[in-house]
Amino acid sequence: RHEPLLGQQGNFLADSFANDGSPNASTEQSDAPQGKLVSKPFEVVRNYIEFLIGGGKHDGKTCMNLLVDGKVVRTATGANREKLYWQSWDVREFMGKTARLEIVDADSNCRGHVMVDHIEFCDQPHGNGKKLQEQWDFGTMCLALVGKGRSESSSASVRPGKYPEALFNNGGLNSAAATVKPFGEELTGALARKLFLEPGEEKVVTFIVSWHFPDLRLGRVDPAGWYYATRFESAAKVAEHIVTNYDSLYGLTKLWHDTWYDSTLPYWLLDRVMGNTATLATMTCVRTANGRFWAWEGVGCCKGTCAHVWQYAHAMARLFPELERTVRERADFGIGFHPDSGIIEFRAEYGCGYATDAQAGCVLRAFREHQMSVDNAFLRRIWPRVKKALEFLIKEDGNGDGILEGRQPHTLDMDLYGASSWLSSLYLAALHAGEEMAKEMGDADFAGQCRSIWQVGQKRFVKLLWNGEYFIHVPDPKHPGTFAYGDGCEIDQVMGQNWAFQVGLGRIFEAEKTKKALQSVWRYNFTPDVGPYRDVFKTGRWYALPGEGGLLICTFPKGNREELLGPKPFWAEMYFNECQSGYEYEAAAGMVWENLLLEGLAVTRTIHDRYHASRRNPWNEVECGDHYARCMAVYGVFTAACGFEYHGPKGHIGFAPRLTPENFKAAFTSAEGWGTFTQKTEGAMQRETIEVKWGQLRLRTLAFALLAGKAPQSVKVIANGRPVESTHALENKRVLVSLAADVVLKAGERIEVVMS
């Protein structure tokens, strides 16, 4: 089989996968046979037919059908899995009629088989043996109409006739009219309000649709359940909460919206960055009853909050840092961590083992989540495990030269052997982050070890992997025929440098070569129309169609594509030919950090145009699944455009805007609040303003890029109209301002730094 058989009940199974148990039988041979299994005629006397089904998802070809009067009236397929899932048919409309069941296999391609088990006729659906109240779709829904205090003082009424049963009949929630119907019958109702409008007058009526489905099962995740179900006992209670807190809920949402879009950055960029955070509100993401964040890669695709996918997604860490910390603490360095070796299972309780990019990424994200905290309590809790995880990578390095050369699993679902610019760049960034965390934890010996390795590695990286135009992969000759990109121009080749900038580590690789490498990615991998390229290189998924632009994952400008990919599995070339927005945003952010603004913004705008509403859902960037998590890498482009750096425990914040720095405005987030940063120049004066809109912000040091590049003659700090004692120093064409004491800004307060 393609994978182990799961979900069978008892000893027998209707199965068209023709494997006699021979160890030499191939899946192609076993999928080849076709046929049909038809039941005896029977009278429909129960309300539901329930069954387990698995195998191929081929409509009409690998399926079970219900036939009434010789016509197919219900059909079901598997989910392209060797697992049987419960399905249920409501057959009340066929009560008393004669029917047959038929199991069909009319497909010999991949997953060309069907499996059916445990067919039941029943009066109430109870798939998987659970009681009704334990079903995943059992719960309550509520329709409510907000009454006094929002827009209208008049009471609501129920529309007569068509919808006689209303859940609420007075525009509020104090006079609920409960209506009960037999199971299976529709419960309908309506709410209405009369409005009297004078000429030119406007009125607003606010309806609420709320829901409460408390049961959630996620396989190995225990306990599951929905977090919101621990806060509310029913959909009516949810509606009550919304009505009671409507002004604050709406007001804060509107305040964030206005803060985000009140910016000098291009509107389309702001729209693309914030639009992708909609992924967090889809079924890609779950918050379980115990407060833990859990996610797929995309809706229903690849479970386990996959560490090598989610390491690209910066948005949640910056917008909801508490949630992001739960992933580090409960998954990566919790359930998925091996204390004996330091290995992080990149799918937590779902396993799948070690992945190089995920391992390094978890170390880097631990540093980011520490920075997005108010103090060092989080880092103290996880530091021993972070250190152990980094020690595992050092052990994989072997000779301490900062370059990984052994087996390196990664997000392209293959293993690399030999020195890889992409993966070793992440390793070096993780070492640098490890050094900084070790310093804060008082572990001077480990800090020194990390520093010595990454400083050796940064020199060896250039010497070994620079080909004059970009950084490459040197395959290990001991592993011929394995996945390689060799002299190919790979999209993530300096991803470690981008990560270093994202967490304020500064430069790892020399600026000139890093910038030239990203210019090569632009030159060799970007195309305004993927059509002609994909006409030649057809393998792969068409995330960008002919007539659409994109940044290809890997191209081969040196002409050795056949040499590298000839004997390789199709998997490698499939990925290399694709345009996947998460990878594209990662490279675009790197370009913006290196002041390649035209290139970085062009890549980002090209993706934005691919997801124009005339073409696709603009809030659903797709990779392996809908609402794919990696697309939230676009927040890294925003961070780069702002030149943002932050360290909550140290009370530090900094900005170095890349776009219109002489007149710049954008939102910022911190551990405890958010607000607006503004930078303006007037003649020889440069003014920085940080205003808190929500929460609070504690400050001890501030850093700003100097547009003139010269040391300021004077620096004045003013908090809420009062001067603040401070000192300043020039550091790499930026000024570092140190306050004599902590300044805590509350909502509505601001701090100004005036340099002349």
Side-chain angles (χ1 to χ4, degrees):
R1 289 188 182 275
H2 303 265
E3 56 194 61
L5 173 62
L6 299 172
Q8 178 182 353
Q9 294 199 10
N11 297 321
F12 300 99
L13 174 73
D15 185 4
S16 67
F17 189 78
N19 191 334
D20 59 5
S22 169
N24 297 319
S26 68
T27 55
E28 290 81 3
Q29 292 171 326
S30 299
D31 278 331
Q34 299 183 12
K36 184 183 294 185
L37 189 63
V38 184
S39 75
K40 294 179 180 180
F42 60 89
E43 183 182 353
V44 178
V45 295
R46 301 284 188 178
N47 294 337
Y48 294 88
I49 300 176
E50 295 200 326
F51 50 92
L52 288 162
I53 189 166
K57 185 176 174 61
H58 307 295
D59 293 341
K61 294 184 177 181
T62 56
C63 58
M64 185 166 82
N65 299 322
L66 174 67
L67 283 73
V68 176
D69 296 330
K71 296 181 179 179
V72 176
V73 295
R74 298 286 188 273
T75 187
T77 72
N80 282 335
R81 294 286 310 278
E82 303 308 300
K83 181 177 180 179
L84 294 105
Y85 293 94
W86 281 102
Q87 293 208 32
S88 177
W89 289 334
D90 183 341
V91 294
R92 285 171 294 175
E93 64 182 284
F94 309 115
M95 196 67 69
K97 293 188 176 183
T98 300
R100 288 177 181 264
L101 292 172
E102 66 173 13
I103 303 172
V104 178
D105 181 349
D107 195 299
S108 298
N109 296 309
C110 180
R111 308 273 189 183
H113 63 279
V114 63
M115 306 174 294
V116 177
D117 192 14
H118 210 75
I119 302 170
E120 294 184 12
F121 299 168
C122 50
D123 289 327
Q124 293 187 5
H126 62 278
N128 66 27
K130 293 193 295 182
K131 296 177 182 178
L132 181 63
Q133 62 268 29
E134 295 174 346
Q135 299 295 318
W136 67 270
D137 58 350
F138 179 84
T140 58
M141 292 190 70
C142 173
L143 173 64
L145 177 55
V146 179
K148 297 179 181 179
R150 173 58 188 157
S151 62
E152 276 288 324
S153 59
S154 60
S155 64
S157 62
V158 180
R159 189 189 312 169
K162 188 176 180 182
Y163 302 103
E165 305 96 8
L167 194 54
F168 304 112
N169 62 5
N170 273 327
L173 298 174
N174 297 323
S175 55
T179 303
V180 178
K181 283 288 191 75
F183 183 84
E185 293 188 23
E186 290 186 359
L187 180 62
T188 59
L191 293 173
R193 170 166 292 153
K194 282 185 178 181
L195 295 177
F196 298 93
L197 296 177
E198 298 293 337
E201 185 181 9
E202 292 183 0
K203 293 183 178 180
V204 176
V205 179
T206 302
F207 291 88
I208 295 170
V209 178
S210 59
W211 58 90
H212 186 272
F213 298 93
D215 192 63
L216 172 71
R217 303 297 167 95
L218 293 168
R220 301 176 190 177
V221 179
D222 186 37
W226 290 101
Y227 177 71
Y228 71 74
T230 66
R231 297 183 58 199
F232 307 101
E233 63 184 34
S234 68
K237 292 297 183 181
V238 175
E240 283 183 8
H241 176 80
I242 294 171
V243 170
T244 304
N245 299 281
Y246 189 92
D247 289 340
S248 63
L249 291 171
Y250 177 82
L252 282 176
T253 303
K254 184 68 163 53
L255 179 60
W256 168 255
H257 172 278
D258 294 347
T259 301
W260 179 258
Y261 284 102
D262 184 14
S263 173
T264 56
L265 290 170
Y267 185 89
W268 65 263
L269 176 61
L270 297 167
D271 220 30
R272 179 54 32 206
V273 174
M274 197 47 56
N276 274 338
T277 64
T279 297
L280 297 173
T282 71
M283 273 304 297
T284 293
C285 304
V286 168
R287 195 175 189 188
T288 63
N290 64 1
R292 174 187 167 189
F293 179 86
W294 183 96
W296 307 86
E297 291 182 20
V299 177
C301 159
C302 307
K303 52 188 174 281
T305 326
C306 178
H308 57 46
V309 167
W310 276 85
Q311 70 150 326
Y312 287 79
H314 290 287
M316 189 169 78
R318 298 300 184 184
L319 297 172
F320 305 102
E322 178 187 355
L323 277 181
E324 190 73 53
R325 287 195 294 271
T326 72
V327 185
R328 299 293 83 70
E329 199 158 6
R330 298 190 185 188
D332 302 333
F333 297 106
I335 297 169
F337 188 76
H338 291 261
D340 53 337
S341 65
I343 288 176
I344 298 170
E345 298 276 359
F346 68 85
R347 293 192 189 278
E349 57 265 85
Y350 291 91
C352 294
Y354 153 71
T356 305
D357 51 351
Q359 190 90 7
C362 285
V363 173
L364 286 160
R365 290 191 288 168
F367 188 41
R368 180 188 61 192
E369 273 60 90
H370 167 56
Q371 292 178 331
M372 290 297 290
S373 302
V374 296
D375 54 34
N376 63 12
F378 165 77
L379 182 58
R380 287 203 175 278
R381 291 196 300 270
I382 67 169
W383 170 245
R385 294 192 167 201
V386 176
K387 179 180 177 180
K388 189 76 174 179
L390 194 46
E391 286 175 334
F392 174 82
L393 285 174
I394 293 171
K395 185 177 179 181
E396 289 292 291
D397 178 357
N399 58 8
D401 68 350
I403 304 295
L404 297 171
E405 295 172 303
R407 174 179 171 268
Q408 299 158 66
H410 52 79
T411 192
L412 299 183
D413 300 322
M414 300 285 284
D415 294 344
L416 270 170
Y417 290 87
S420 156
S421 54
W422 163 33
L423 297 175
S424 284
S425 77
L426 283 171
Y427 170 48
L428 291 170
L431 285 166
H432 197 355
E435 176 198 356
E436 295 302 315
M437 286 185 281
K439 288 178 181 177
E440 293 191 47
M441 293 294 100
D443 193 341
D445 290 343
F446 189 65
Q449 182 185 5
C450 291
R451 182 172 182 80
S452 64
I453 296 174
W454 79 258
Q455 287 189 330
V456 169
Q458 69 177 165
K459 296 175 182 177
R460 182 161 170 73
F461 185 90
V462 173
K463 183 177 181 180
L464 181 64
L465 300 175
W466 179 249
N467 74 351
E469 287 189 281
Y470 52 86
F471 295 100
I472 62 170
H473 167 224
V474 179
D476 186 345
K478 297 177 183 177
H479 295 273
T482 56
F483 178 88
Y485 61 91
D487 255 357
C489 188
E490 199 269 337
I491 196 169
D492 282 334
Q493 60 184 265
V494 286
M495 185 177 178
Q497 181 60 76
N498 179 19
W499 249 114
F501 286 139
Q502 295 286 343
V503 292
L505 291 173
R507 188 162 294 285
I508 295 179
F509 310 119
E510 58 182 275
E512 182 181 354
K513 287 184 171 62
T514 304
K515 187 172 184 177
K516 190 170 183 179
L518 289 167
Q519 286 173 321
S520 295
V521 172
W522 166 258
R523 177 182 179 187
Y524 294 125
N525 296 44
F526 181 79
T527 172
D529 182 358
V530 302
Y533 185 91
R534 293 300 303 274
D535 281 343
V536 178
F537 304 110
K538 299 181 183 297
T539 306
R541 297 158 292 187
W542 288 74
Y543 297 122
L545 296 175
E548 297 175 339
L551 200 62
L552 298 157
I553 288 180
C554 190
T555 62
F556 295 86
K558 304 302 180 183
N560 59 349
R561 186 187 192 97
E562 295 297 324
E563 176 189 342
L564 281 164
L565 297 181
K568 305 295 185 299
F570 121 100
W571 203 260
E573 187 166 6
M574 175 186 80
Y575 276 113
F576 286 168
N577 294 340
E578 293 171 357
C579 295
Q580 297 190 27
S581 63
Y583 299 97
E584 294 171 276
Y585 289 136
E586 188 285 313
M591 292 172 183
V592 174
W593 281 115
E594 299 293 349
N595 287 309
L596 297 172
L597 300 179
L598 172 66
E599 295 87 339
L601 293 179
V603 169
T604 309
R605 178 58 193 242
T606 298
I607 304 166
H608 182 68
D609 291 345
R610 284 208 313 254
Y611 283 92
H612 189 278
S614 65
R615 294 175 174 268
R616 297 177 176 87
N617 180 346
W619 296 280
N620 181 14
E621 291 190 20
V622 178
E623 284 188 26
C624 189
D626 284 309
H627 302 284
Y628 202 79
R630 195 174 353 233
C631 70
M632 288 186 285
V634 70
Y635 204 95
V637 179
F638 172 78
T639 307
C642 298
F644 177 70
E645 61 186 42
Y646 175 74
H647 196 305
K650 291 184 177 180
H652 175 77
I653 198 167
F655 298 90
R658 263 57 178 177
L659 277 77
T660 63
E662 71 285 353
N663 180 25
F664 182 84
K665 188 176 188 179
F668 72 87
T669 61
S670 67
E672 298 179 280
W674 43 264
T676 296
F677 166 72
T678 305
Q679 176 173 286
K680 287 188 176 183
T681 58
E682 300 170 1
M685 183 181 296
Q686 182 173 327
R687 183 186 299 271
E688 322 288 339
T689 305
I690 297 171
E691 181 180 359
V692 175
K693 298 295 184 72
W694 178 86
Q696 66 178 28
L697 175 67
R698 182 178 66 85
L699 295 173
R700 192 60 180 261
T701 61
L702 305 93
F704 307 102
L706 287 169
L707 302 190
K710 298 177 181 179
Q713 293 181 3
S714 70
V715 175
K716 297 179 181 179
V717 180
I718 304 164
N720 299 316
R722 296 182 177 181
V724 175
E725 185 180 346
S726 66
T727 59
H728 68 274
L730 192 64
E731 179 186 279
N732 297 325
K733 295 184 179 180
R734 68 174 194 166
V735 65
L736 181 65
V737 179
S738 299
L739 308 180
D742 287 357
V743 171
V744 178
L745 301 176
K746 305 285 187 179
E749 298 180 342
R750 64 172 59 195
I751 190 169
E752 294 178 278
V753 178
V754 182
M755 298 176 283
S756 59

